Amino acid sequence: MFPPFKVEGSTQFLMVQLPSRDAPNYQPVLTLLKQHSFQLDALMRAWFLRDKNGVLNFLARHKQTLEKLGAQFTDNFKQKTAILEECSFDVIATEENDASYRMEIRLSRPLIPLENDIRQAILRGQNYIEKNGKITLLPPDKTKAIEQLQQQITGETTRDFSPSASLRVSKAQLADIDGSMETLNIRWKAPESWIACTAALRNQGRLTAAPLPKDLEQRLRGYQLLGTAWLYHLYRFGLGGILADEMGLGKTVQAIAFLSAIKSKNNTRPSLIIAPASLLENWRRELLQFAPQLRVFINHGNMRISSEQSDNYDVIVTSYGTLNRDAALWQNLIFDCMIADEAQHVKNRRTQSAQTLKDIHAKGHFLLTGTPIENTLEDLRGLFEFILPGLLKPIPRHATTEERKWWDVRHRELAAPYILRRRKRDVAPELPQKIEQTLFCTLEPKQSSLYARALDTSRNELLKVQLEGASQNKLRMAAFTELLRLRQVCAEPRLLDDKLQPGDSSKLRAFREILDEAQDNGDRVLLFSQFTSVLAYIRGYLDKDNIPYCYLDGKTQNRQAECDRFNNDGSIPVFLISLKAGGTGLNLTGASIVIHYDPWWNPAAEAQATDRAHRIGQTKIVTSIKLIASDTVEEKVLSLQKSKSELLESLFEESAHATAVFDLSTLQSLFA
């Protein structure tokens, strides 16, 4: 509480006697009076304002300020200013339909006849009107709040103050407006449906759990359950959103849990998932693992669905390329929900994928991306054209620099409730310090054909050696030779056919996407391969795109200098390492993502490579990603790893001992 000071006067003049000089409110009160042309009367030792217009404008602006600073208005002042009243507003919201509300803004009932006078006074910069023996003060904080609210709803930055308005509010605007009503200090009451929609968006602790199968619910971490509930909440209210968790936090499994929740309500329409072709197999496997009850169709390659068949499935998964080619099909279907994975594929609204997505009909539109989007506003605007079209209105073509800044701030505010982003450090208490993932890569068409031919050749070669009566040891060596050929096709098909292009390598495509996301997140990557010839092709890709990198193989002269260069230079996003040369003895804590490009089937050796980053001095959670070519020998060995781990420890050791201890029948089964 401030020491009191006296305010005397009327509508014609004001007299203020300051508190003592050592009072904490002395200087603030003095500054306020000087700013508004008060003059000191030395004889009366008081400050005067003797201008009616100035007095009324001052009282409209600062009567409450004086009260907060300790002013005590005399009884005479209260009697002389009894004809003063403050302007007030009523704000009433009503639900129009499932998609929108109507917000009525109007003067409180006694003031309604003065509407035009109030509008004219504000336009003149006058903070009061005098009519019918009454003076109505127009406090700028109140009128400005109403003006800002109207601009906020309409998106019209130049909209002038109006004492009344009837405005349509879309559901997507509710969370933004709800938050502003408190800061604008406007009295109002929201409908129950409005509160139900916005309360959980503004406070995630109020989210209602999504209806999940018990076994699935028990498999999810706490933050994943929250993410699923968030997606389900938006879906229930006919909204969309962006799940933008950092790489490694399980965006896919949260999306699958969300789809399971939708299906639990006996929805009859299918949901659609669009993902890069390299991730289709991953989606199929994850759906099978976490939601086996869902009927899934992979719409890709030779397997295409028809309009008549769509209702036989709960989830349809397709690639961006296939989506474009089948555009006519999607326009004839209505989906319950649509999820676009790796959202960077649609951030440019002028691409064919973005245009096709906008034409698809679905109740809920969602995006998954591990790429931060809050700093790239053009990308953000492109993404919201898909999930909540019309929410981020286009910036006027001739907007000034200041107006553009206003729009940028508004778009961030509007988008915020519909983006859920958690970083590993945010949920670290629930996570291990090392996250291990397996990413299944579907072979590209030409790569798949090459693999099929190589597999046929390998089978024939092994049969030929066997028919020649070769010894067990010779058969093993022949099998290893053919196995090497198949592994090379999986890692880099150009090793066997130099006429192929970079786009024909499924793992190179997967690496590009991981590296792009890592760079956007500020993460750095270690990439291990057993083949220096594979690393050479990756170097070619990096050189072509002017991406800096470090490199280490058996021929590297000064290993430590290269490691120091990577650790000390944060602008280098990736370190390419030959597994044999760099699997042990290096400290590379500058990286937080480890990619096993062509996995080493000895689990201990693979762990040693990951531990180049996951060691003392590492401040981030390390994500280890194993790239596996699906439906190939790589996947078969991965399966065997679980049941015959001891044998697999030496599977690819280039020694007679290694081949001698490996059971020939198991080795031959890899070619079955």
Side-chain angles (χ1 to χ4, degrees):
M1 293 289 293
F2 288 114
F5 62 95
K6 190 172 74 171
V7 177
E8 175 62 279
S10 66
T11 59
Q12 306 294 321
F13 81 98
L14 286 175
M15 182 192 77
V16 180
Q17 290 182 326
L18 295 179
S20 63
R21 287 181 177 272
D22 56 353
N25 54 345
Y26 174 82
Q27 195 59 50
V29 175
L30 178 61
T31 301
L32 180 66
L33 300 183
K34 286 182 176 181
Q35 287 174 343
H36 291 85
S37 304
F38 279 73
Q39 299 296 317
L40 175 63
D41 187 317
L43 184 63
M44 297 187 67
R45 301 182 66 184
W47 291 78
F48 281 84
L49 181 62
R50 295 184 174 91
D51 169 63
K52 179 180 178 180
N53 183 63
V55 166
L56 294 177
N57 278 325
F58 180 81
L59 289 175
R61 293 189 181 100
H62 296 298
K63 186 171 184 288
Q64 287 187 353
T65 306
L66 289 175
E67 290 172 346
K68 290 177 182 177
L69 287 171
Q72 286 189 344
F73 298 96
T74 66
D75 291 339
N76 182 63
F77 173 87
K78 294 175 182 177
Q79 182 182 348
K80 296 288 188 181
T81 58
I83 61 171
L84 298 180
E85 63 179 354
E86 279 198 1
C87 177
S88 59
F89 299 88
D90 295 319
V91 179
I92 302 169
T94 55
E95 190 170 7
E96 276 193 326
N97 51 50
D98 289 342
S100 65
Y101 290 76
R102 176 65 52 180
M103 184 168 271
E104 302 284 348
I105 303 169
R106 56 176 178 255
L107 288 163
S108 296
R109 186 168 299 280
L111 300 174
I112 291 175
L114 304 178
E115 179 174 326
N116 192 54
D117 298 287
I118 290 174
R119 182 185 289 108
Q120 294 302 317
I122 295 296
L123 290 175
R124 293 194 304 268
Q126 182 176 300
N127 298 120
Y128 68 92
I129 60 169
E130 188 171 6
K131 197 164 187 177
N132 301 328
K134 283 277 189 180
I135 298 175
T136 303
L137 301 181
L138 310 174
D141 57 338
K142 287 188 178 181
T143 56
K144 191 64 179 176
I146 293 297
E147 181 181 82
Q148 288 176 353
L149 178 61
Q150 293 176 14
Q151 290 178 350
Q152 184 176 347
I153 294 172
T154 63
E156 299 171 10
T157 58
T158 58
R159 182 186 179 98
D160 291 326
F161 166 79
S162 175
S164 65
S166 177
L167 304 172
R168 180 185 176 275
V169 178
S170 71
K171 269 195 174 178
Q173 292 177 281
L174 299 188
D176 176 65
I177 293 171
D178 200 48
S180 295
M181 297 303 280
E182 293 179 6
T183 59
L184 294 176
N185 196 24
I186 297 174
R187 292 180 307 159
W188 80 304
K189 182 173 175 58
E192 289 300 320
S193 58
W194 180 313
I195 295 171
C197 178
T198 60
L201 290 178
R202 297 182 61 201
N203 180 2
Q204 293 172 3
R206 299 179 67 175
L207 284 167
T208 302
L212 297 176
K214 201 67 180 175
D215 59 336
L216 176 55
E217 182 180 351
Q218 292 172 348
R219 296 173 70 179
L220 299 182
R221 298 182 181 275
Y223 73 89
Q224 292 173 332
L225 287 170
L226 187 145
T228 302
W230 182 79
L231 292 168
Y232 189 68
H233 178 82
L234 291 175
Y235 165 81
R236 282 175 52 224
F237 284 94
L239 300 166
I242 301 174
L243 182 59
D245 284 346
E246 192 175 17
M247 181 193 303
L249 292 184
K251 293 185 291 294
T252 301
V253 72
Q254 291 175 74
I256 291 172
F258 164 52
L259 294 176
S260 297
I262 292 176
K263 194 59 187 176
S264 71
K265 294 303 181 182
N266 298 316
N267 292 20
T268 57
R269 290 183 180 140
S271 293
L272 177 67
I273 295 171
I274 309 101
S278 59
L279 296 181
L280 294 186
E281 179 62 14
N282 230 52
W283 271 99
R284 186 186 71 80
R285 290 168 185 268
E286 295 280 281
L287 283 160
L288 182 62
Q289 180 183 355
F290 290 99
Q293 77 280 9
L294 297 180
R295 299 167 297 169
V296 179
F297 186 90
I298 307 298
N299 187 75
H300 189 62
N302 295 326
M303 300 294 292
R304 293 295 224 278
I305 200 169
S306 66
S307 300
E308 295 75 22
Q309 295 172 313
S310 63
D311 287 341
N312 297 329
Y313 296 92
D314 301 315
V315 180
I316 299 171
V317 187
T318 195
S319 69
Y320 286 100
T322 306
L323 177 85
N324 295 331
R325 288 188 287 274
D326 293 351
L329 166 67
W330 311 121
Q331 291 173 3
N332 296 326
L333 299 176
I334 298 177
F335 294 98
D336 202 44
C337 173
M338 179 163 50
I339 299 174
D341 193 10
E342 299 296 338
Q344 62 269 23
H345 289 266
V346 294
K347 64 186 179 184
N348 184 344
R349 66 192 88 182
R350 290 180 290 275
T351 63
Q352 185 179 353
S353 293
Q355 292 298 323
T356 304
L357 281 176
K358 285 181 63 177
D359 292 337
I360 296 176
H361 305 290
K363 177 181 176 181
H365 297 77
F366 296 89
L367 298 175
L368 307 181
T369 176
T371 303
I373 53 181
E374 58 268 20
N375 295 323
T376 52
L377 281 171
E378 278 309 309
D379 292 349
L380 186 70
R381 288 185 261 264
L383 295 177
F384 268 77
E385 278 296 300
F386 168 62
I387 60 168
L388 291 169
L391 178 63
L392 307 188
K393 293 180 170 57
I395 298 177
R397 185 178 302 176
H398 301 296
T400 64
T401 301
E402 284 303 310
E403 288 173 339
R404 287 184 176 277
K405 288 180 180 178
W406 184 91
W407 278 104
D408 287 348
V409 171
R410 286 296 301 126
H411 283 173
R412 285 196 184 97
E413 292 170 344
L414 285 163
Y418 305 104
I419 302 172
L420 181 61
R421 176 163 178 78
R422 280 83 54 90
R423 296 182 181 272
K424 291 171 188 171
R425 64 172 179 262
D426 299 330
V427 291
E430 297 195 39
L431 290 176
Q433 290 302 303
K434 180 168 63 175
I435 302 172
E436 297 183 342
Q437 294 181 326
T438 300
L439 180 60
F440 289 95
C441 306
T442 303
L443 298 183
E444 297 297 324
K446 292 182 180 179
Q447 184 181 19
S448 180
S449 298
L450 179 62
Y451 183 86
R453 294 195 302 272
L455 182 59
D456 284 342
T457 301
S458 295
R459 288 169 176 162
N460 292 333
E461 287 296 320
L462 290 177
L463 180 60
K464 179 181 177 182
V465 173
Q466 193 171 12
L467 292 175
E468 290 174 350
S471 65
Q472 292 277 306
N473 191 52
K474 189 173 182 179
L475 277 172
R476 285 194 201 94
M477 294 304 295
F480 272 103
T481 299
E482 297 304 322
L483 193 55
L484 175 64
R485 185 199 308 272
L486 296 177
R487 291 170 60 219
Q488 287 176 326
V489 177
C490 294
E492 178 47 71
R494 287 175 289 177
L495 292 174
L496 271 70
D497 185 349
D498 59 10
K499 294 184 179 64
L500 296 180
Q501 301 299 314
D504 295 318
S505 171
S506 63
K507 289 195 178 184
L508 183 59
R509 176 178 291 187
F511 165 64
R512 287 173 174 174
E513 292 175 352
I514 294 170
L515 182 60
D516 286 348
E517 186 171 329
Q519 287 182 279
D520 286 336
N521 280 333
D523 291 317
R524 302 167 71 207
V525 177
L526 304 183
L527 184 146
F528 288 98
S529 175
Q530 297 163 71
F531 305 111
T532 56
S533 51
V534 169
L535 294 177
Y537 278 109
I538 298 174
R539 292 178 77 175
Y541 153 66
L542 295 172
D543 287 335
K544 181 175 178 293
D545 281 15
N546 295 315
I547 299 173
Y549 61 89
C550 290
Y551 181 86
L552 189 154
D553 65 16
K555 297 179 181 179
T556 303
Q557 294 298 313
N558 194 334
R559 291 157 47 98
Q560 191 57 51
E562 194 71 350
C563 293
D564 291 344
R565 187 167 77 91
F566 180 76
N567 282 331
N568 297 330
D569 188 349
S571 67
I572 301 174
V574 61
F575 197 153
L576 307 181
I577 305 174
S578 165
L579 189 66
K580 285 194 173 183
T584 59
L586 303 178
N587 188 332
L588 296 168
T589 53
S592 56
I593 295 174
V594 179
I595 298 174
H596 298 283
Y597 201 81
D598 35 79
W600 189 254
W601 306 118
N602 178 344
E606 194 172 278
Q608 282 181 331
T610 299
D611 287 345
R612 298 316 92 217
H614 185 243
R615 59 195 299 125
I616 294 174
Q618 178 59 264
T619 59
K620 293 184 176 182
I621 294 173
V622 173
T623 301
S624 174
I625 302 173
K626 186 185 298 184
L627 299 184
I628 300 293
S630 60
D631 296 324
T632 69
V633 67
E634 286 190 349
E635 185 176 351
K636 290 187 177 183
V637 174
L638 188 66
S639 178
L640 284 173
Q641 190 176 31
K642 298 175 183 177
S643 59
K644 301 192 177 186
S645 58
E646 290 183 5
L647 290 175
L648 287 169
E649 286 181 3
S650 57
L651 174 57
F652 292 122
E653 294 286 351
E654 294 179 5
S655 68
H657 173 72
T659 59
V661 299
F662 203 86
D663 179 71
L664 180 60
S665 62
T666 302
L667 190 59
Q668 288 176 319
S669 71
L670 299 176
F671 298 90

